[in-house]
Amino acid sequence: MITPAEILASYEPPHKFCLMGNEAVARGAIEAGVRGVFAYPGTPSTEISETIRRASEAQRRAAAPDPIYFEFSVNEKVAVEKAIAYSLGGRSAMCVMKAAGMNVASDPLMTIPYQIIGQPLVLVVCDDPGCFSSTTEQDSRYWGKMASVPLFNPSTPQDAYEMTLEAFSLSARLKMPCILRTTTRVSHSRGVVGIGSITVIVQPPGFIKSPQHLNIPSRTAAAHRDLLAKLAGEDVGKSQQRTTKHLTVLRGNDGSEDGLGIIASGVAASYANELIARYRLQDTLELLIIGIIHPFPMQEVLDFLKCGFSKVLVLEELDPIVEDDLRLLVQKHNLKVEIFGKGFAGLSTVGEYSLDIVRTALTEFTGIEVERPSPLPLDDVKALVNSLTLRPPTMCPGCSHRATYYALRLAIQPERTNLVLCGDIGCFAMGAFAPFQMIDTIHHMGMSVSMAQGISEALRSGGAGQDKTIALVGDGTMFHSGIPSLLNAVHTRANIMIVVFDNRTIGMTGHQPHPGSESPLDALQVDLKSLALGMGVEFVEVIDPKDIAVSYRVFREAWERRGVSLVISQSPCVFLPEFKDKMDVMKRVVVDPNLCNTCGNQEDSAIVCSRCATPESNLNKARAKLTALKTIPALEQRCPANICNHGFFTALLNGAYGEAIQIVRDKTLFVRVCGDICPRPCEYLYREKGAPVVPIRKLKRFVAGRDDFFLNVQLVRKPEPNGLNVAIVGAGPAGLSAAYDLVRAGYNVVIFEKEQVPGGLLRSVIPDFRIDKTGYESEIAILDQWGVRFEYGVELGRDMTLEELSIGFSTVVLAIGMGESQALPVIEEQVPPERRSDAISFLKKFNSGASPIQRGASVLVIGGGNSAIDSARAAIRDGASEVFIAYRRSRADMPAFDEEIEEALSEGVKIIYNTVISAVTQSSERLSVEFSSFSDGRPSGIHRYDYVITAVGQKGREEAFASAKLPLSAEKRIIADEATGRTSLRNVFVAGDVCAGNHVSLIGAIAGGKRAANGIRAMLEGYPFAYEGRKALEALNANPRTGFRGDDGVDFATFDDFSRLISEYYITQPCRQCNHCIENFGCPALLMVNGKVVIDDSQCTRCGLCIDVCINDAIHWAAPDEASFKREVILSADS
Amino acid sequence: MHDRSQNTCKIVIAGIGGQGVVFLTNILTEAGIAANIPAASSEIHGIAQRRGSVVAGITFGENTFGFIEEAGADILIGLEPLEAMRCISYLNRASRAVIDDNRQLPHSINTGKNIYPDVDAFIGFLKSNIVQVIFNRTFDANAPSVLRNVYILGRAATLEGFPLPVAAIEETLERRAKKGTVEEAKLTFRMGLEFQSGGDDVGH
């Protein structure tokens, strides 16, 4: 089987062949005997270069004599210079470039016509009307006039072939270069081309010396005259004759002046040709096709006009070059003919022409209505088509540029800063699109480095505080035109960071080599890093963008330092053998649907989650995952109330304090008091002592202390009332928590409270110096607003019985707490009432400002729980001269929270251990208290006090529920089912301190209330989910002692401290609100199907990067028997 | 054929970069030459790869150059439904179409900013307004996805008035399919050619 390249290179090919315009040019050049081709890749010209390159290789393989030399030069200027030199060395040459390439090569182009070349030289430039892939739609035909060089403009592939031969022939005769200019449509359309054979032309090498090689001012005027004379001469005249075609000759030169003529050039001529044939307009129109644009074929046009036309229509894309030359000619010769061109019938200088545009023009020009085929009955097709989702080009799966952008985005956070990212031309420029949108400027090749230093300089000299600017450039472009700009930056001490997107190839045009990449030719590979260091760049690092952690670090470092920093992000393009050879097709990547977009906090997805996951917030998580010093699984910091610590922490990472508070409120109303006094089981239940934990309570206190977000409680979904009634007895935190969950589930809730205000012991007994109660009252008021009915001054047992309640309501929650103090007989009996108090009564009085402690009094507190500590600290604040706590066991046995003990000690409270009171006597005004050792009963001293407070335990009011005969624990607390909080009575639940086994703490009460609410829902509605916090609650209840974690040593009074603290940590947990990989990474192989991400195996290139990107840890390499996503699923999914 | 008196036929191929639009275009034009029919084509490529929209035109007959005007296509081959929709203005009442239900989601649909348009409604509209529609819903999961376009070519070759003889296409596949995949390509083409439609996939 012969390859196309072999055919194109062969000496005796088949006569007719279907060729692309570009291939036709290549064949023409080969037949013309070109010996060296110097090119730079550029759409739409690249196929010319590639065809010649492969033909050259085919010739070498076939050991042909004198095979063509081919190179991709560093840029178009060098290509043209080297081609000129090659020609002067006695060998025919050709250059191939896109439109913008001639701009780069314009210096040698402009100069050489004043001199001479050796063997023929043809410069091929390809324009792009309609800007399919170019920076402008410039009309390169002007180069003919501008440089005074013959310029050919073919209309079809056959034309392109013939004109290439003509250009070489003319170049040989004139000894100056000729330009062949095509457009995308001609370059990329295919047609049958009749081609010839290759004749071997001997071209002996050698530079012939001549004074014409010296371009010095004394020569230029004469050279200019000679140049113009060449263009007016016979050789050009012959070319003009051969390339100007008069079609559809109808009439002789009868001189009548009422005919219609068309003069066309380029692809517009093909449109005219097709339409004239289709609609049989040969009897009406005569067509002249112009192939040579400069010098304008005046004679041929004049001959054409002699046919006698009243009107002539000019059809050419882009600028009216032929039209203007025609008008000039007509005016000079005083001809009577009306000329139509740009502006007529919608013919525009902007964009391409089409069959439709030309048909409209012909219709209007001839007045003949041409029959149109019947279109489909769509009212407004254009609007419909315009409404279709656009599909811009996007980086391939596995593209290394995507990895670079991802790491760069994490490192420099462009969405948060004002910094400018200056981009360039190439595949990586797709980073301007979603999801990255990380480019602010794109101009022309090489502009990135210049733009960055220019903006930086403007900012600096204008006095801006921050002048670091970033340049983003591809490896190909860097070698093409970035080097001089980099040199300038170094030399002028610019303050810029340059990121080279080095995918080891010139990608966009089809993976051509450049000096820094591997090359199939025997070429020396240039090391960009060494080049940069040699130039004087102080910071140059090469990174593998697939190593996100290292890339992140290097980007940060490069960004933060002053001066020129260069980061070369190097990883092969997926099309290269360097990538493909390493790709293991047998390895597959899969997403675990149980982790992707799945809530790790609760099973019931209907439970409101207030996390606002935006792409930016997910980026913050990704960054924290990468940079945190302490990463802790959220499973190891679980809360008995199942507050989502992951969501809470993530909200703080995003600076979203309101959201953080709202996330706590998804589970419990009481944010501030938790921040104050929670014993923080999340910080000690699951982690070993000494292991890092996120200081949740500290963070909660910080955030909850902010008034601006505090009362922003959203009732996210107003629930439908379900007609079920619940009675809750006790308006302490347990009862209120049950109410909170039930009212949100649509229940009608009534709370009975024996006091006149809600809040329980938290409000009346715990002192103000321990918790901030202002928030607490407002939080409780929210329940009011949501329709919870409070009945105050109603006491269970006295005003109503449990039985009555359980009949009158669907269910009852008993949350009456343990509001009574246990008595200590020795004190009860031996101390007069005015000199003693139980802790609860004392603290109630203290809180209402009526403390019985006198200033200067000496106070004894008996007991070791929180009430004892609170009482002691209250006494200190009352101005007591000394406060002692006597506890019967050791410090380690004290039930009080360790930090409370520490606080008390720091305030001057003294604690005596292993001590009980054996007797008290009154002497003068004071009490004499006899202590004895608890362990062996021996007396240990007598001390004098003015006041005694007993804090030896709490108990419930048994009489409240005695009639119900509920099973009780030893401490007279009601026994209930651990999973639901239900008692032996069918519809009576307990929560809080009164429930046996419930941890005596705020969080224990909250969790107990929520558990009871859950149990009620299960019973009455068949709610299928177990209480979400059950595991943590069980762990808490099994561990009655609180563990003192030890302070982190950081108290963040300031926001900076806070930021520093949270930047050290990351709590990891799968989250339902994700889509991070799709929104922030955007690999096309990641598809969203039915709310989960799946990997399209047919697109995946196994780069494995998504595994690192996923913040839910949901993506992994597939086990051999693990199934991949099947594409057919898309057809039935809701897309 | 569009214009019997002039013996021309115009085919539009729509897909995304990487699906093989250019490959099919080359097969069709070469098959035309092999069958001694004047053939030409026109496409936009270069930057349009990288999964962007690609449209190509193939024309058979004298005085055609690969360009297709509005309502000027006799046949539409849609390798991707959304791209086929984008080409709707090329169709006329006498057109025929093969559309492959091989949806490729652009990024904006993946992120939920847009939704993929209703393909069934589009096919329904076509069936009511053009002469023949083949809506391909299956492709053997074991077959290499890179040959899917050849399969669709096979299905297209069953359209009434398809301008090329099957032999010319098979001969061209032999010459032009990638080394090592020639037999597979011919087989896949045959599979498309011989597919017996039933149920959803109905031409009429």
Side-chain angles (χ1 to χ4, degrees), chain A residues 966-1115:
Chain A
L966 294 163
L968 303 177
S969 69
E971 317 118 328
K972 308 288 185 218
R973 299 159 79 187
I974 303 173
I975 295 176
D977 174 60
E978 201 178 9
T980 61
R982 195 162 107 189
T983 65
S984 58
L985 283 185
R986 193 192 62 85
N987 68 343
V988 175
F989 293 74
V990 279
D993 291 351
V994 77
C995 174
N998 210 136
H999 192 265
V1000 177
S1001 62
L1002 173 61
I1003 196 67
I1006 293 173
K1010 290 176 68 75
R1011 180 183 62 180
N1014 194 87
I1016 288 173
R1017 294 190 66 194
M1019 188 178 91
L1020 294 181
E1021 304 169 45
Y1023 181 71
F1025 298 99
Y1027 170 54
E1028 348 134 26
R1030 67 190 175 285
K1031 289 210 176 72
L1033 180 57
E1034 279 164 26
L1036 176 67
N1037 289 341
N1039 188 349
R1041 298 258 324 125
T1042 67
F1044 180 47
R1045 294 295 315 175
D1047 217 39
D1048 288 283
V1050 180
D1051 245 316
F1052 35 86
T1054 71
F1055 179 71
D1056 284 337
D1057 290 332
F1058 171 74
S1059 310
R1060 198 167 26 89
L1061 180 75
I1062 61 170
S1063 68
E1064 283 178 27
Y1065 291 97
Y1066 178 57
I1067 294 193
T1068 163
Q1069 181 172 273
C1071 187
R1072 182 166 22 124
Q1073 314 253 25
C1074 197
N1075 294 350
H1076 168 68
C1077 59
I1078 290 194
E1079 286 172 344
N1080 290 320
F1081 187 62
C1083 176
L1086 296 169
L1087 307 178
M1088 183 65 78
V1089 177
N1090 285 337
K1092 302 276 182 183
V1093 175
V1094 295
I1095 292 176
D1096 184 354
D1097 200 50
S1098 65
Q1099 292 189 62
C1100 175
T1101 56
R1102 282 84 167 138
C1103 74
L1105 204 57
C1106 53
I1107 297 176
D1108 295 329
V1109 165
C1110 178
I1111 47 180
N1112 277 6
D1113 293 319
I1115 307 184

Side-chain angles (χ1 to χ4, degrees), chain B residues 59-83:
Chain B
T59 59
F60 298 103
E62 300 286 343
N63 290 312
T64 64
F65 303 89
F67 308 117
I68 307 190
E69 68 277 27
E70 271 183 26
D74 299 292
I75 294 173
L76 167 66
I77 300 179
L79 299 181
E80 203 278 341
L82 174 55
E83 299 314 313

Side-chain angles (χ1 to χ4, degrees), chain A residues 6-136:
Chain A
E6 285 160 345
I7 292 179
L8 287 167
S10 87
Y11 285 81
E12 295 293 338
H15 183 57
K16 274 194 184 312
F17 203 63
C18 189
L19 286 182
M20 191 194 293
N22 279 349
E23 291 170 339
V25 171
R27 176 65 191 186
I30 293 172
E31 283 184 25
V34 73
R35 302 263 51 84
V37 176
F38 305 83
Y40 191 83
T43 308
S45 73
T46 316
E47 292 79 12
I48 303 173
S49 318
E50 292 284 27
T51 304
I52 301 253
R53 173 158 77 123
R54 278 185 241 127
S56 160
E57 285 165 11
Q59 287 179 341
R60 276 166 218 276
R61 275 197 303 272
D66 198 7
I68 295 173
Y69 172 78
F70 176 84
E71 80 172 38
F72 279 120
S73 310
V74 169
N75 59 36
E76 292 87 350
K77 175 174 191 278
V78 174
V80 171
E81 288 165 349
K82 193 160 173 179
I84 291 169
Y86 199 77
S87 149
L88 287 172
R91 313 271 287 159
S92 148
M94 179 168 85
C95 289
V96 181
M97 67 202 79
K98 64 188 187 226
M102 195 64 99
N103 304 345
V104 176
S106 57
D107 202 356
L109 168 67
M110 293 298 296
T111 315
I112 194 62
Y114 277 53
Q115 301 176 259
I116 51 161
I117 60 170
Q119 290 291 326
L121 169 62
V122 171
L123 309 178
V124 182
V125 60
C126 302
D127 281 352
D128 190 20
C131 261
F132 289 100
S133 52
S134 310
T135 47
T136 69

Side-chain angles (χ1 to χ4, degrees), chain A residues 525-584:
Chain A
Q525 198 171 343
V526 175
D527 178 36
L528 182 59
K529 177 172 178 179
S530 311
L531 180 58
L533 287 170
M535 273 199 257
V537 180
E538 284 176 356
F539 183 98
V540 184
E541 290 290 333
V542 178
I543 59 170
D544 176 1
K546 299 207 157 82
D547 187 339
I548 304 178
V550 167
S551 303
Y552 174 88
R553 186 183 51 76
V554 172
F555 281 137
R556 282 219 65 83
E557 207 181 325
W559 161 244
E560 278 160 7
R561 64 183 302 287
R562 230 187 138 69
V564 178
S565 325
L566 181 69
V567 181
I568 304 170
S569 181
Q570 203 176 74
S571 187
C573 168
V574 299
F575 281 91
L576 296 179
E578 297 159 61
F579 181 94
K580 286 187 183 162
D581 291 345
K582 290 208 183 75
M583 180 171 125
D584 184 353

